[in-house]
Amino acid sequence: MKKSSLYKGCLEPILLRLLKDNGRMYGYQMTQMVKEITKGELTITEGALYPLLHKLEEQGIVETETEMNGSRMRKYYSLTKAGKKQTAVAMDEMKAFMQSLEFIVNPKPVIG
Amino acid sequence: MKKSSLYKGCLEPILLRLLKDNGRMYGYQMTQMVKEITKGELTITEGALYPLLHKLEEQGIVETETEMNGSRMRKYYSLTKAGKKQTAVAMDEMKAFMQSLEFIVNPKPVIG
DNA sequence: TCATTATACATAAGTAAATTATGCATAATT
DNA sequence: AATTATGCATAATTTACTTATGTATAATGA
């Protein structure tokens, strides 16, 4: 990922969110979509992406189907039932996290 | 810090923001303020806090004054001139980061 | 036509930023 | 009297990346 290490720890929930929204995606596609959505701000590196996807598969969060696109392989990932549950939890955590950042960056003045 | 590792990489900008807003703080005070602001969501651990503060001091981002409160020591930290510049940069990065997260968690549907 | 960029996967070594555990010391609370 | 709170600090470990490297095909451009 690009820049400042702020994104550290956010990759997993980001991938879960992508899969939740798009149903079925392959790795390279995820990197491109994130780059596009964030206007180039966030670039997922392959060294981070693939090992994480493998871990999620091991954990039964995602499942895969490999397909050929012409002569090129694509490995499609989608959320399992357990993965959907896990994603809901991760999204709640994300919300709380973003809310907390808001509080810190934009603190409400104490009245009184 | 507490929970889910989402906050990984955010501690430094959070501390810079606190110092920017409050002028002068000691370590323990920072942990308490963050806990309060985030309604208990974010708990800064001492093992993360103190080494980071020391690093920032080495880098000339913050400077310290040690004072006694009764018989207890407090080490006050404040931003140096260079630290204020650095904080402005960090805050811009924070904004971009939060914006990107928003885009991912709440993607805009493509019209057309 | 030959080199570069894009697509598409994968893994290994190294690093940064935490967590967890531990330590010291005083003050306040139960 | 024991526990919790205040206040600092450091060491060992773990996590989650980055950087580097590897393989292979397709498209683009000089």
Side-chain angles (χ1 to χ4, degrees), chain B residues 16 19-20 23 61-63 77-81 83-84 87:
Chain B
L16 294 178
L19 289 171
K20 178 187 155 78
I61 307 291
V62 298
E63 58 194 356
Y77 290 84
S78 52
L79 293 170
T80 62
K81 198 166 177 181
K84 283 172 191 169
T87 299

Side-chain angles (χ1 to χ4, degrees), chain A residues 4-101:
Chain A
S4 72
S5 83
L6 281 171
Y7 295 89
K8 211 164 251 203
C10 294
L11 183 53
E12 183 172 324
I14 286 172
L15 296 186
L16 294 179
R17 178 78 210 191
L18 286 182
L19 288 172
K20 179 187 155 77
D21 284 345
N22 301 287
R24 209 173 87 106
M25 299 183 78
Y26 57 98
Y28 185 76
Q29 186 185 13
M30 298 178 195
T31 67
Q32 298 309 300
M33 187 172 283
V34 165
K35 200 191 286 180
E36 199 186 330
I37 292 176
T38 65
K39 297 168 186 177
E41 247 284 311
L42 175 52
T43 305
I44 299 175
T45 62
E46 295 162 303
L49 176 68
Y50 292 113
L52 177 51
L53 286 174
H54 300 162
K55 193 195 80 178
L56 292 174
E57 191 180 5
E58 266 177 42
Q59 293 176 342
I61 306 292
V62 298
E63 57 195 355
T64 62
E65 287 170 308
T66 299
E67 284 180 20
M68 295 310 283
N69 173 256
S71 60
R72 270 220 207 85
M73 179 183 65
R74 283 176 180 171
K75 198 164 164 186
Y76 283 90
Y77 290 83
S78 52
L79 293 171
T80 62
K81 199 165 175 180
K84 282 172 192 170
K85 268 194 185 176
Q86 177 52 35
T87 299
V89 174
M91 290 308 104
D92 285 346
E93 285 175 5
M94 251 319 227
K95 250 188 196 166
F97 167 60
M98 289 167 72
Q99 184 70 78
S100 290
L101 284 190

Side-chain angles (χ1 to χ4, degrees), chain B residues 55-111:
Chain B
K55 193 195 80 176
L56 291 174
E57 190 179 7
E58 266 176 42
Q59 294 175 342
I61 307 291
V62 298
E63 58 194 356
T64 63
E65 288 169 307
T66 299
E67 284 180 21
M68 295 311 282
N69 173 258
S71 60
R72 270 219 208 87
M73 180 184 63
R74 283 176 180 172
K75 198 165 165 185
Y76 282 91
Y77 290 84
S78 52
L79 293 170
T80 62
K81 198 166 177 181
K84 283 172 191 169
K85 269 193 185 178
Q86 176 52 36
T87 299
V89 174
M91 289 308 105
D92 285 346
E93 285 174 4
M94 251 321 224
K95 250 188 198 167
F97 167 60
M98 291 167 71
Q99 184 69 80
S100 289
L101 284 190
E102 273 300 338
F103 286 152
I104 292 163
V105 168
N106 211 330
K108 284 164 191 163
V110 179
I111 298 167

Side-chain angles (χ1 to χ4, degrees), chain B residues 19-32:
Chain B
L19 289 171
K20 178 187 155 78
D21 284 345
N22 301 287
R24 210 173 86 107
M25 301 181 77
Y26 57 99
Y28 185 76
Q29 187 186 12
M30 298 178 197
T31 68
Q32 298 310 299

